[in-house]
Amino acid sequence: MFPKNAWYVACTPDEIDGKPLGRTICNEKIAFYRGEGGRVAAVEDFCPHRGAQLSLGYVCEGKLVCGYHGLQMGCDGKTVSMPLQRVQGFPKIRAYPVVERYGFIWVWPGEAQLADPAKIHPLEWAESPDWAYGGGLYHVQCDYRLMVDNLMDLTHETYVHATSIGQKEIDETPVNTKAEGDHVITSRFMENVMAPPFWRANLRGAGLADDVPVDRWQICHFHAPSHIMIEVGVAHAGHGGYHAPKEHKVSSIVVDFLTPETETSMWYFWGMARNFSAQDTALTAQIREGQGKVFAEDTAVLEAQQRNLSANPGRRLLMLNIDAGGVQSRRIIDRLVAAEQPQKLAA
């Protein structure tokens, strides 16, 4: 249940340094590698000779070499050569549109003629020296839409992340939800509260007092098909909250790229971009470690949830007002999926 005519984060550049990478995206088995001139390429992970996985081979002079019998594949999916064999007549395997941008490798698993790189959501923070980014990748055994639900409703932080970013004021504060086309926004603003441990550490990292009341905000942005950016931060109370001057606050963008693998598994590219103490690499590593632990807690909950749902496919789930962000995001996903289905002819 995922749209294929969309750009998804497939991997990070370091994952294809020196060797191919095999990864399933939206049920498509794809081999990623660097072709001629170091340009990223993506082809079907299937050798046309005997069906071996091309990603288990290696790259030689920009060609992907099958590790079984040495067949060489071009970036366009055309067989180039094979020792002592005539293979130029082999039919092409599928090549996928792929782009390297913003520090990620993006792939379009759908109809190649529709792949427009301009449709990749702009990430201003990824191109500015005033921002620092640290993140990671989790392979999660759940439907990616469960993660959409999780990230578009942060009420769970009080319970799942009680020792890091959770606090009782989260579920005591109303959440506002609105949709603008394929963009869904949920927001929550908490005033005059004490910062939880994760944000106290960030205040200290920015040289700010961590033992005074703060105003805290969480603004979740869903962008189709499954990218969620969350504006988060705290400011010393009485200085304007979200709009406070930089010297009174710490703020970041929680980065969440949710890439479906199968109907019940996903690749979760997570991270945090911040515009304070951007040159402090030790702080970047500290935040990354803390955030990684938070997302590991989410992963445990969601994988157990998926097992429950798979075992009880007929159970009807309840909807509350806090679920509005996830519900509206799923409606967009459903519409995009439906638009890709063949139109039935009228009887």
Side-chain angles (χ1 to χ4, degrees):
M1 190 65 176
F2 32 72
K4 287 193 171 183
N5 289 325
W7 290 105
Y8 292 97
V9 172
C11 61
T12 50
D14 61 289
E15 292 186 275
I16 56 170
D17 281 348
K19 61 179 181 179
L21 170 72
R23 182 155 288 166
T24 299
I25 308 290
C26 296
N27 281 331
E28 302 281 339
K29 295 184 180 298
I30 306 174
F32 297 90
Y33 65 102
R34 291 200 180 276
E36 295 181 3
R39 186 175 179 179
V40 66
V43 297
E44 184 181 359
D45 200 1
F46 187 97
C47 179
H49 172 222
R50 301 300 296 167
Q53 281 187 247
L54 290 170
S55 61
L56 297 180
Y58 58 94
V59 179
C60 180
E61 297 180 348
K63 306 295 189 299
L64 180 57
V65 182
C66 179
Y68 195 12
H69 296 98
L71 178 144
Q72 292 191 16
M73 183 65 60
C75 297
D76 60 355
K78 179 67 176 175
T79 300
V80 176
S81 66
M82 187 173 174
L84 300 178
Q85 304 298 318
R86 294 182 178 180
V87 295
Q88 286 76 13
F90 275 19
K92 283 186 177 182
I93 62 172
R94 185 176 178 185
Y96 295 83
V98 62
V99 174
E100 184 169 3
R101 185 174 295 179
Y102 304 132
F104 299 95
I105 308 298
W106 305 74
V107 69
W108 182 280
E111 299 176 55
Q113 67 273 21
L114 300 179
D116 180 1
K119 294 180 180 178
I120 296 177
H121 184 70
L123 304 175
E124 293 84 355
W125 52 263
E127 299 183 310
S128 171
D130 296 328
W131 289 75
Y133 176 81
L137 169 63
Y138 285 151
H139 187 203
V140 188
Q141 300 299 317
C142 79
D143 184 329
Y144 75 104
R145 293 173 299 174
L146 296 182
M147 187 68 82
V148 171
D149 297 341
N150 173 278
L151 295 168
M152 292 302 289
D153 168 32
L154 300 181
T155 305
H156 72 276
E157 288 186 355
T158 303
Y159 309 97
V160 179
H161 311 303
T163 62
S164 55
I165 57 176
Q167 59 187 119
K168 62 182 180 61
E169 288 86 357
I170 293 176
D171 55 354
E172 293 174 352
T173 305
V175 62
N176 179 265
T177 302
K178 64 179 180 178
E180 300 173 350
D182 288 349
H183 178 196
V184 179
I185 307 165
T186 62
S187 55
R188 179 183 273 119
F189 298 89
M190 292 157 274
E191 297 182 351
N192 203 38
V193 301
M194 297 305 294
F198 180 84
W199 283 110
R200 290 203 301 271
N202 282 335
L203 285 166
R204 293 193 298 274
L208 296 173
D210 69 339
D211 58 352
V212 298
V214 298
D215 297 330
R216 182 181 180 187
W217 58 91
Q218 300 170 323
I219 307 171
C220 308
H221 299 266
F222 168 88
H223 297 279
S226 56
H227 308 149
I228 298 174
M229 304 289 127
I230 308 177
E231 296 180 78
V232 293
V234 296
H236 285 169
H239 291 280
Y242 176 79
H243 300 288
K246 190 172 182 179
E247 61 267 24
H248 295 294
K249 70 179 178 183
V250 286
S251 60
S252 305
I253 298 174
V254 178
V255 178
D256 306 281
F257 294 120
L258 317 180
T259 300
E261 180 187 39
T262 69
E263 283 76 6
T264 56
S265 62
M266 60 169 285
W267 303 101
Y268 181 20
F269 296 87
W270 55 267
M272 179 173 280
R274 73 178 192 282
N275 61 352
F276 63 92
S277 305
Q279 307 308 317
D280 189 338
T281 56
L283 180 59
T284 299
Q286 175 187 316
I287 292 174
R288 181 186 181 279
E289 181 181 3
Q291 194 185 28
K293 291 177 180 178
V294 169
F295 288 140
E297 293 170 341
D298 283 318
T299 295
V301 170
L302 295 178
E303 290 186 336
Q305 181 185 12
Q306 181 64 65
R307 290 192 294 270
N308 244 0
L309 293 173
S310 296
N312 299 275
R315 294 286 288 269
R316 182 173 179 270
L317 302 182
L318 303 177
M319 294 296 174
L320 302 172
N321 59 353
I322 58 174
D323 301 315
V327 169
Q328 294 204 39
S329 300
R330 283 194 181 223
R331 286 175 181 167
I332 293 170
I333 294 171
D334 290 345
R335 175 169 51 77
L336 294 175
V337 170
E340 295 180 6
Q341 304 309 305
Q343 299 298 313
K344 294 182 179 180
L345 296 177

